[in-house]
Amino acid sequence: VSAPIAAEDLLRRRKRGYTLETPFYTSREIFDLDLDIIFGRHWIYIAVDPDLPEPGDCMTVEVGSASVLLIRGEDMQVRAFHNVCRHRGARLIDEYKTSVGNIVCRYHQWTYAEDGRLLFAEHMGADFDPKCFGLKPVHVRNVAGLIFICLSDDPPTDIEAMAAAIEPYLLPHEIRNSKVVHTSDIIEEGNWKLTMENNRECYHCSANHPELTIPLYAYGFGYSPENLDEESRAQAEGYTRLLKDSHARWESCGLPSAEIDRLNTTATGFRTERLPLSGDGESHTMDTRVASRKLLGSLTDRKLGGLSYWTQPNSWHHFLSDHIVTFSVLPLEPERTLLRTKWLVHKDAVEGVDYDLDNLTKVWLLTNKQDGDLVAMAQAGVRQPGYQPGPYSPYTEELVEKFCDWYVGRMSTHLFPAASRVAAE
Ligand code: FES
Ligand SMILES: [Fe+2]
């Protein structure tokens, strides 16, 4: 019987191009390190601006053992605080979403303003200085309407570089002028990294996602150029031409579309690209037509393909001409993960008139279910003694490798800085 191998050794010996070893998916110790280092010291995507449309709107999101409270002030700014009373530490807000005047602790009625100041605390004596007992702030960065938080006192500063790069892509879809019309929470029976790895490839799509793949190109997610027969080669080349022509067309209309990939070269890793939908495809729906007749922002062209935006460590987003689907991954346990999905349409779109909710949500509700099953299946295998890390496809799983490389790099940077591999901050 041998002693468990330390996280540090596992990180050091991780073989590039291969899946991670079992403890990364099962060990409580590594899970706790993930929460501390990855979820505690990086920018985590947790909400959209329209989750909090009005002043006083308030929501809570659990990131590891931290409960974060988001509140929109009268000045329309969204602020984030630890959801903990400064008196005796009671949790302040229980609900996922609510609306408040001030934030009042139910225990002894300490009362905080929307900016976190302690406004009222009875019977605390003449020496008590309320200025010392404001709510503890959490760093928050609203990127074109996507809300990221960082629990560290010293967040990665490269969020500004990400925002500068991505905002021109996102702004035409006007997240702030849209509304959340559906939220789905599902629990996947797997480690959060398997949820992310599964998201970073479409190698599994043709066999597992009959609905999602309706408007997708078979060659849009990478392929091995060797051994293609003539017909396949012609299709692949056709796709490359279509991508180039589509980018040229969209960019001439002021819609940035070209790929940016900083998935594993920076602390706040991300990637984006606008991809064409096949044939007459307009949107991710069963009939590939727009789900909402009222397009986002002031867009007028239904055929804008799908703008995808992936962030490390925990999100992905698809921006169509008519709607937005946005995904936030939150670890619960070493082998349990929350996937929170939101659908947004233009804020003036009327249900039953401009869009049908079932039609809007159908493809991704089914796809999420299929992905959840795949994650559970992967978890059931990687926890077994017969599992040994296997090779990623260099053509279709490049982004999975970049996720693992980013993860190993960030963990290493924080655990043994001298050996850091990711040039960060
Ligand atoms: S714990 Fe909040 S007022 Fe006492
Ligand atoms: Fe999938």
Side-chain angles (χ1 to χ4, degrees):
V1 178
S2 54
I5 298 165
E8 188 170 329
D9 294 330
L10 288 165
L11 288 163
R12 283 188 198 280
R13 76 182 196 190
R14 191 257 160 167
K15 190 168 165 188
R16 286 197 170 201
Y18 278 74
T19 61
L20 303 174
E21 292 186 62
T22 296
F24 286 108
Y25 304 117
T26 56
S27 134
R28 169 67 64 176
E29 185 202 336
I30 292 182
F31 181 77
D32 290 344
L33 286 172
D34 287 357
L35 293 186
D36 174 8
I37 295 171
I38 302 296
F39 284 84
R41 306 190 212 179
H42 292 86
W43 288 98
I44 305 301
Y45 167 70
I46 59 164
V48 286
D49 194 86
D51 275 319
L52 306 153
E54 303 290 334
D57 285 349
C58 185
M59 68 189 287
T60 58
V61 181
E62 319 301 308
V63 179
S65 52
S67 177
V68 176
L69 182 166
L70 292 174
I71 183 165
R72 186 180 296 279
E74 287 295 338
D75 59 1
M76 294 309 277
Q77 290 303 306
V78 173
R79 295 181 179 80
F81 301 99
H82 285 278
N83 187 17
V84 178
C85 182
R86 290 297 309 277
H87 178 217
R88 281 166 55 193
R91 184 185 161 104
L92 287 166
I93 304 282
D94 280 326
E95 297 94 331
Y96 171 50
K97 285 187 181 179
T98 183
S99 189
V100 296
N102 294 313
I103 302 163
V104 183
C105 180
R106 197 152 56 80
Y107 208 163
H108 315 93
Q109 286 70 56
W110 282 30
T111 301
Y112 304 89
E114 64 190 31
D115 60 4
R117 276 173 305 132
L118 178 61
L119 298 173
F120 172 82
E122 215 177 0
H123 309 304
M124 293 306 293
D127 293 342
F128 179 77
D129 182 0
K131 283 198 284 300
C132 299
F133 297 94
L135 294 180
K136 274 199 191 163
V138 170
H139 289 277
V140 60
R141 182 69 166 84
N142 192 330
V143 178
L146 302 178
I147 297 177
F148 294 80
I149 57 110
C150 182
L151 290 162
S152 165
D153 291 336
D154 187 22
T157 54
D158 60 358
I159 182 97
E160 295 308 325
M162 178 175 80
I166 198 67
E167 280 179 350
Y169 286 74
L170 304 185
L171 287 172
H173 296 265
E174 295 190 27
I175 303 168
R176 290 190 176 98
N177 281 321
S178 60
K179 60 180 173 184
V180 178
V181 291
H182 190 66
T183 298
S184 137
D185 280 358
I186 65 169
I187 290 174
E188 297 192 344
E189 300 296 328
N191 184 268
W192 69 274
K193 293 188 283 301
L194 287 182
T195 300
M196 295 306 300
E197 288 178 44
N198 177 69
N199 162 257
R200 296 293 146 96
E201 49 94 358
C202 225
Y203 194 3
H204 69 266
C205 289
S206 60
N208 292 284
H209 295 318
E211 300 82 11
L212 181 69
T213 48
I214 296 170
L216 298 185
Y217 280 99
Y219 292 96
F221 298 92
Y223 56 90
S224 171
E226 304 114 24
N227 316 321
L228 284 187
D229 61 29
E230 217 156 293
E231 194 191 333
S232 307
R233 185 174 304 278
Q235 282 180 16
E237 282 165 6
Y239 177 75
T240 307
R241 270 197 311 277
L242 174 75
L243 186 65
K244 209 166 140 250
D245 295 349
S246 303
H247 281 184
R249 180 167 73 82
W250 294 325
E251 298 209 338
S252 73
C253 313
L255 296 167
S257 303
E259 177 192 24
I260 304 175
D261 184 340
R262 299 183 196 162
L263 280 173
N264 58 340
T265 52
T266 185
T268 307
F270 73 97
R271 180 175 187 271
T272 191
E273 186 171 21
R274 194 183 297 273
L275 296 170
L277 297 174
S278 74
D280 289 332
E282 298 170 347
S283 201
H284 280 179
T285 51
M286 295 298 286
D287 64 2
T288 79
R289 306 287 103 177
V290 288
S292 172
R293 292 198 329 215
K294 188 146 187 55
L295 302 186
L296 294 168
S298 45
L299 297 173
T300 52
D301 185 352
R302 294 177 167 202
K303 290 197 63 181
L304 298 180
L307 171 68
S308 294
Y309 172 41
W310 299 265
T311 74
Q312 314 286 38
N314 84 317
S315 80
W316 62 92
H317 317 258
H318 301 297
F319 295 81
L320 292 306
S321 61
D322 64 317
H323 75 276
I324 301 164
V325 198
T326 174
F327 306 76
S328 174
V329 170
L330 297 164
L332 300 175
E333 296 285 332
E335 301 185 49
R336 287 178 82 226
T337 302
L338 174 65
L339 174 65
R340 178 166 288 162
T341 309
K342 290 172 188 166
W343 287 258
L344 294 92
V345 294
H346 192 288
K347 66 174 172 20
D348 299 331
V350 179
E351 188 179 354
V353 177
D354 295 307
Y355 69 95
D356 173 82
L357 194 59
D358 285 337
N359 183 45
L360 173 71
T361 55
K362 184 163 185 185
V363 168
W364 271 107
L365 284 176
L366 289 166
T367 303
N368 279 348
K369 169 86 176 65
Q370 293 149 0
D371 281 325
D373 290 345
L374 297 172
V375 167
M377 184 175 85
Q379 183 74 35
V382 300
R383 65 200 314 290
Q384 292 182 37
Y387 166 68
Q388 92 184 63
Y392 293 127
S393 153
Y395 297 109
T396 64
E397 292 173 309
E398 212 189 335
L399 307 187
V400 192
E401 167 56 23
K402 286 182 177 178
F403 170 78
C404 291
D405 188 48
W406 178 89
Y407 167 79
V408 170
R410 299 312 303 162
M411 293 287 275
S412 304
T413 297
H414 286 278
L415 284 174
F416 37 100
S420 68
R421 291 188 301 155
V422 176
E425 286 118 306

PDB file of all heavy atoms in Angstrom, residues 85 87-90 105 107-110, ligand 1:
ATOM      1  N   CYS A  85     -23.130  38.621   7.674  1.00  0.00           N
ATOM      2  CA  CYS A  85     -23.308  39.773   8.555  1.00  0.00           C
ATOM      3  C   CYS A  85     -22.032  40.038   9.352  1.00  0.00           C
ATOM      4  O   CYS A  85     -21.369  39.107   9.810  1.00  0.00           O
ATOM      5  CB  CYS A  85     -24.481  39.520   9.495  1.00  0.00           C
ATOM      6  SG  CYS A  85     -24.830  40.908  10.574  1.00  0.00           S
ATOM      7  N   HIS A  87     -21.929  41.341  12.225  1.00  0.00           N
ATOM      8  CA  HIS A  87     -22.165  41.200  13.660  1.00  0.00           C
ATOM      9  C   HIS A  87     -21.713  39.818  14.114  1.00  0.00           C
ATOM     10  O   HIS A  87     -20.576  39.623  14.513  1.00  0.00           O
ATOM     11  CB  HIS A  87     -23.648  41.460  13.983  1.00  0.00           C
ATOM     12  CG  HIS A  87     -23.998  41.293  15.430  1.00  0.00           C
ATOM     13  ND1 HIS A  87     -25.200  40.753  15.843  1.00  0.00           N
ATOM     14  CD2 HIS A  87     -23.311  41.579  16.565  1.00  0.00           C
ATOM     15  CE1 HIS A  87     -25.223  40.722  17.168  1.00  0.00           C
ATOM     16  NE2 HIS A  87     -24.102  41.224  17.634  1.00  0.00           N
ATOM     17  N   ARG A  88     -22.548  38.816  13.972  1.00  0.00           N
ATOM     18  CA  ARG A  88     -22.145  37.481  14.402  1.00  0.00           C
ATOM     19  C   ARG A  88     -22.108  36.493  13.257  1.00  0.00           C
ATOM     20  O   ARG A  88     -22.154  35.278  13.456  1.00  0.00           O
ATOM     21  CB  ARG A  88     -23.046  37.010  15.540  1.00  0.00           C
ATOM     22  CG  ARG A  88     -22.607  37.655  16.878  1.00  0.00           C
ATOM     23  CD  ARG A  88     -23.638  37.517  17.962  1.00  0.00           C
ATOM     24  NE  ARG A  88     -24.038  36.141  18.203  1.00  0.00           N
ATOM     25  CZ  ARG A  88     -25.110  35.811  18.931  1.00  0.00           C
ATOM     26  NH1 ARG A  88     -25.858  36.769  19.482  1.00  0.00           N
ATOM     27  NH2 ARG A  88     -25.425  34.549  19.105  1.00  0.00           N
ATOM     28  N   GLY A  89     -22.044  37.052  12.059  1.00  0.00           N
ATOM     29  CA  GLY A  89     -21.741  36.203  10.913  1.00  0.00           C
ATOM     30  C   GLY A  89     -22.910  35.495  10.271  1.00  0.00           C
ATOM     31  O   GLY A  89     -22.698  34.621   9.428  1.00  0.00           O
ATOM     32  N   ALA A  90     -24.132  35.891  10.611  1.00  0.00           N
ATOM     33  CA  ALA A  90     -25.275  35.212   9.985  1.00  0.00           C
ATOM     34  C   ALA A  90     -25.247  35.431   8.475  1.00  0.00           C
ATOM     35  O   ALA A  90     -24.768  36.459   7.991  1.00  0.00           O
ATOM     36  CB  ALA A  90     -26.580  35.744  10.559  1.00  0.00           C
ATOM     37  N   CYS A 105     -30.145  42.286   8.322  1.00  0.00           N
ATOM     38  CA  CYS A 105     -29.918  40.948   8.860  1.00  0.00           C
ATOM     39  C   CYS A 105     -31.096  40.584   9.754  1.00  0.00           C
ATOM     40  O   CYS A 105     -31.505  41.342  10.638  1.00  0.00           O
ATOM     41  CB  CYS A 105     -28.609  40.920   9.657  1.00  0.00           C
ATOM     42  SG  CYS A 105     -28.278  39.282  10.353  1.00  0.00           S
ATOM     43  N   TYR A 107     -31.253  38.460  12.052  1.00  0.00           N
ATOM     44  CA  TYR A 107     -30.902  38.038  13.419  1.00  0.00           C
ATOM     45  C   TYR A 107     -31.081  39.184  14.427  1.00  0.00           C
ATOM     46  O   TYR A 107     -31.942  39.123  15.316  1.00  0.00           O
ATOM     47  CB  TYR A 107     -29.449  37.522  13.413  1.00  0.00           C
ATOM     48  CG  TYR A 107     -29.105  36.490  14.460  1.00  0.00           C
ATOM     49  CD1 TYR A 107     -27.949  35.711  14.313  1.00  0.00           C
ATOM     50  CD2 TYR A 107     -29.904  36.291  15.582  1.00  0.00           C
ATOM     51  CE1 TYR A 107     -27.609  34.750  15.255  1.00  0.00           C
ATOM     52  CE2 TYR A 107     -29.558  35.330  16.531  1.00  0.00           C
ATOM     53  CZ  TYR A 107     -28.421  34.575  16.370  1.00  0.00           C
ATOM     54  OH  TYR A 107     -28.074  33.631  17.294  1.00  0.00           O
ATOM     55  N   HIS A 108     -30.290  40.289  14.269  1.00  0.00           N
ATOM     56  CA  HIS A 108     -30.414  41.416  15.207  1.00  0.00           C
ATOM     57  C   HIS A 108     -30.605  42.739  14.475  1.00  0.00           C
ATOM     58  O   HIS A 108     -30.311  43.799  14.998  1.00  0.00           O
ATOM     59  CB  HIS A 108     -29.192  41.491  16.119  1.00  0.00           C
ATOM     60  CG  HIS A 108     -28.757  40.161  16.675  1.00  0.00           C
ATOM     61  ND1 HIS A 108     -27.807  39.369  16.053  1.00  0.00           N
ATOM     62  CD2 HIS A 108     -29.171  39.463  17.766  1.00  0.00           C
ATOM     63  CE1 HIS A 108     -27.641  38.242  16.735  1.00  0.00           C
ATOM     64  NE2 HIS A 108     -28.456  38.264  17.780  1.00  0.00           N
ATOM     65  N   GLN A 109     -31.028  42.626  13.247  1.00  0.00           N
ATOM     66  CA  GLN A 109     -31.433  43.783  12.426  1.00  0.00           C
ATOM     67  C   GLN A 109     -30.308  44.771  12.115  1.00  0.00           C
ATOM     68  O   GLN A 109     -30.559  45.948  11.890  1.00  0.00           O
ATOM     69  CB  GLN A 109     -32.629  44.542  13.062  1.00  0.00           C
ATOM     70  CG  GLN A 109     -33.952  43.814  12.930  1.00  0.00           C
ATOM     71  CD  GLN A 109     -34.000  42.556  13.798  1.00  0.00           C
ATOM     72  OE1 GLN A 109     -33.787  42.633  15.009  1.00  0.00           O
ATOM     73  NE2 GLN A 109     -34.266  41.433  13.177  1.00  0.00           N
ATOM     74  N   TRP A 110     -29.081  44.327  12.112  1.00  0.00           N
ATOM     75  CA  TRP A 110     -28.058  45.217  11.566  1.00  0.00           C
ATOM     76  C   TRP A 110     -28.451  45.480  10.107  1.00  0.00           C
ATOM     77  O   TRP A 110     -28.871  44.552   9.393  1.00  0.00           O
ATOM     78  CB  TRP A 110     -26.654  44.595  11.628  1.00  0.00           C
ATOM     79  CG  TRP A 110     -26.018  44.655  12.975  1.00  0.00           C
ATOM     80  CD1 TRP A 110     -26.642  44.646  14.183  1.00  0.00           C
ATOM     81  CD2 TRP A 110     -24.611  44.731  13.230  1.00  0.00           C
ATOM     82  NE1 TRP A 110     -25.717  44.702  15.191  1.00  0.00           N
ATOM     83  CE2 TRP A 110     -24.446  44.761  14.645  1.00  0.00           C
ATOM     84  CE3 TRP A 110     -23.469  44.764  12.434  1.00  0.00           C
ATOM     85  CZ2 TRP A 110     -23.194  44.831  15.243  1.00  0.00           C
ATOM     86  CZ3 TRP A 110     -22.224  44.829  13.041  1.00  0.00           C
ATOM     87  CH2 TRP A 110     -22.087  44.871  14.438  1.00  0.00           C
TER      88      TRP A 110
HETATM   89  S1  FES B   1     -25.772  38.345  13.165  1.00  0.00           S
HETATM   90 FE1  FES B   1     -26.558  39.854  11.860  1.00  0.00          FE
HETATM   91  S2  FES B   1     -27.395  41.272  13.193  1.00  0.00           S
HETATM   92 FE2  FES B   1     -26.572  39.839  14.538  1.00  0.00          FE
END
